[in-house]
Amino acid sequence: KSRGTRDPRIQRYQTFHRQESRMRSRRRAIQADVMGQSRRCIKLAFRYMQMNHAERIDYLKKLFDSKMSKGGSVNRPEQYGISNEELKGLAAKMALPEQEVDHLDVQFRHYDFDGSGALDLEEVRSILADIGLSPQNREEKFEVTECINEKVQKMGCEEFEFEAFLDLLKSVRERLKQVQSIKCWRLFHEADVIGRDSLEMLKIMTLLETKLGFYLRSSEENSEALNIFAQCDTDSDGCLNLDEFQAFVQKVRAKLLTLRRREEVQIAKKFDLEP
């Protein structure tokens, strides 16, 4: 072969590599700029959603912001809160302290992701757990479920607005109080072997842990239980009568369940789990 002629094998080799398959070309393009392609696609998709589905984008933003604030402080927009006049009216109508109604309003709006002013049954149960009203045994679960079913049947729907939620809250609290009062009466008279119609603090703390199942897990829980005992001991004699004992059990139960629920939410948030 002469020096001026080109080797045909080189030409065949170059032709072979120029004819690359479509799949291989696509794979090479993705590998070359996968992050850039992804970001551009996401931006285009987001712009399209903003132009054609603005309401849906606003809803998703509210949902994201609400979930991010779970377990911590809730920075809710002012338009979602109730006015002072409405707060006072609801507090008077439901016979609840204004401070408690305001706190419950914060809890209610915290779970109202879409801003509709109503919560479903699952969200209502979550609030009840947050404020220490979750049932702890079979009898309590039956009473709470029956109470919710009665309210749903009365309203004709499974969506609770704030006033309906407050009414349900009062009913659940009263049902649980009745169940706990019977048990407290029995425990009180079993422990009052001398017949003094009162129990000292050490015996009450023992009943709280051994008979009621509320073991004080931390110094914070122990401090809260002692503070509630001091509040219920109206005559400051270091003992509680039957009415004071029932009030103590109800308050310390709600406080302990609230603290433990808050701890569960914090752990779930830390490890990206559902509380």
Side-chain angles (χ1 to χ4, degrees), residues 170-209:
K170 287 188 62 179
S171 300
V172 169
R173 186 176 286 171
E174 185 63 30
R175 291 286 186 95
L176 291 177
K177 182 180 179 180
Q178 291 175 1
V179 174
Q180 295 160 16
S181 295
I182 297 174
K183 187 173 184 179
C184 287
W185 183 89
R186 179 175 56 81
L187 291 176
F188 183 89
H189 288 289
E190 287 179 356
D192 185 24
V193 293
I194 303 177
R196 294 175 52 195
D197 291 331
S198 64
L199 298 176
E200 61 272 14
M201 182 175 65
L202 181 60
K203 187 170 290 187
I204 287 175
M205 292 300 178
T206 303
L207 289 175
L208 184 67
E209 295 189 345

Side-chain angles (χ1 to χ4, degrees), residues 83-200:
S83 64
N84 291 331
E85 291 75 12
E86 291 175 328
L87 189 147
K88 292 179 180 180
L90 285 173
K93 184 177 182 179
M94 297 295 172
L96 294 172
E98 293 183 12
Q99 185 177 2
E100 183 180 7
V101 174
D102 185 54
H103 174 70
L104 291 171
D105 178 53
V106 174
Q107 294 286 90
F108 187 90
R109 306 302 171 184
H110 177 65
Y111 285 95
D112 186 15
F113 296 141
D114 56 359
S116 62
L119 301 182
D120 59 25
L121 292 178
E122 183 179 355
E123 292 165 340
V124 168
R125 290 182 182 275
S126 296
I127 298 182
L128 293 178
D130 287 348
I131 59 180
L133 291 178
S134 57
Q136 298 298 301
N137 53 51
R138 182 179 299 176
E139 187 177 5
E140 291 181 357
K141 290 179 180 178
F142 173 79
E143 293 293 339
V144 171
T145 301
E146 186 179 28
C147 185
I148 293 175
N149 290 338
E150 288 176 358
K151 296 297 179 183
V152 169
Q153 187 175 5
K154 182 179 179 180
M155 295 187 304
C157 66
E158 296 184 353
E159 296 287 330
F160 285 82
E161 296 183 352
F162 186 55
E163 185 174 346
F165 166 72
L166 292 178
D167 190 32
L168 173 67
L169 172 72
K170 287 188 62 179
S171 300
V172 169
R173 186 176 286 171
E174 185 63 30
R175 291 286 186 95
L176 291 177
K177 182 180 179 180
Q178 291 175 1
V179 174
Q180 295 160 16
S181 295
I182 297 174
K183 187 173 184 179
C184 287
W185 183 89
R186 179 175 56 81
L187 291 176
F188 183 89
H189 288 289
E190 287 179 356
D192 185 24
V193 293
I194 303 177
R196 294 175 52 195
D197 291 331
S198 64
L199 298 176
E200 61 272 14

